[in-house]
């Protein structure tokens, strides 16, 4: 309810002629229904759900190797983004720790919960023909390019729709 209220409040401040992009929302079918309702009320249409997919074993690997600086709260990763120097110049790596929730058994539980909540949402948008799937195992620059391309394709489709409606 709190997230829904925040989304509704923010959306109310954006003219309906503007597009919006949510990161991490909706995550459940219930949230999707809420979003579709407020979109309908504000004469908007949800264009697509972009889903960056990585296999569960890769999620486990990535989160298991994540560390965070206790002093400045900056995240690092042992292989993808290793600590070399402190961006805030406050330390030399002595404050790096694993997050307590990044233990393998807790990661597996979070992944199970994610699939329980989000799996039906992904299926829903796939059935509606509104799912854009991005391979999250690619190098980060390729994932970024695919995300930008997906958003641009949505914008182009929306612009075409708007010009056809005139």
């Amino acid at each position: 309810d709190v997230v829904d209220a925040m989304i509704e409040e923010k959306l109310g401040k954006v003219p309906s002629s503007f597009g919006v992009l949510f990161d991490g929302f909706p995550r459940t079918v219930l949230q999707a229904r809420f979003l579709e309702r407020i979109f309908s009320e504000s004469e908007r249409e949800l264009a697509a759900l972009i889903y960056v997919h990585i296999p569960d074993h890769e999620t486990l690997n990535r989160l298991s190797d994540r560390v965070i600086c206790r002093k400045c709260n900056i995240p690092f990763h042992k292989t993808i983004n290793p600590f070399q120097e402190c961006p805030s110049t406050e330390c030399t790596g002595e404050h790096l720790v694993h997050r307590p929730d990044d233990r393998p058994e807790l990661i597996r539980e979070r992944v199970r919960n994610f699939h329980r909540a989000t799996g039906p949402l992904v299926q829903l948008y796939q059935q509606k023909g509104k799912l854009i799937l991005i391979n999250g195992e690619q190098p980060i620059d390729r994932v970024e390019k695919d995300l930008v391309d997906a958003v641009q394709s949505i914008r182009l489709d929306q612009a075409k729709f708007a010009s056809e409606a005139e």
Side-chain angles (χ1 to χ4, degrees), residues 1 35 37 51 58 66 70 86 92 94 104 109 118 129:
D1 290 340
L35 192 59
R37 181 182 57 80
Y51 180 48
E58 184 63 21
R66 183 168 60 171
R70 279 190 315 232
C86 179
T92 57
E94 68 272 19
E109 182 62 26
T118 306

Side-chain angles (χ1 to χ4, degrees), residues 41-150:
E41 290 170 0
S42 62
E43 298 180 2
R44 296 176 186 267
E45 180 184 340
L46 194 130
L49 175 81
I50 300 173
Y51 180 48
V52 180
H53 176 265
I54 61 172
D56 294 351
H57 70 273
E58 184 63 21
T59 302
L60 180 64
N61 290 340
R62 290 182 187 186
L63 294 180
S64 295
D65 285 345
R66 183 168 60 171
V67 291
I68 190 162
C69 178
R70 279 190 315 232
K71 186 157 180 82
C72 57
N73 289 319
I74 296 175
F76 298 94
H77 189 274
K78 289 182 180 179
T79 56
I80 298 170
N81 179 32
F83 178 89
Q84 294 176 351
E85 67 179 64
C86 179
S88 61
T89 66
E90 294 186 30
C91 63
T92 57
E94 68 272 19
H95 303 290
L96 296 177
V97 295
H98 282 279
R99 289 176 25 166
D101 61 340
D102 281 347
R103 294 192 324 258
E105 64 276 6
L106 294 177
I107 294 169
R108 285 185 196 94
E109 182 62 26
R110 286 171 28 215
V111 167
R112 279 191 295 274
N113 290 336
F114 172 81
H115 287 305
R116 250 182 263 143
T118 306
L121 176 72
V122 170
Q123 289 176 348
L124 174 69
Y125 282 100
Q126 190 170 29
Q127 291 167 352
K128 289 182 175 204
K130 292 187 175 194
L131 178 69
I132 299 173
L133 188 63
I134 294 179
N135 177 1
E137 283 191 288
Q138 305 174 91
I140 195 160
D141 58 333
R142 182 63 198 181
V143 172
E144 178 183 19
K145 182 186 181 322
D146 287 354
L147 281 167
V148 169
D149 289 350

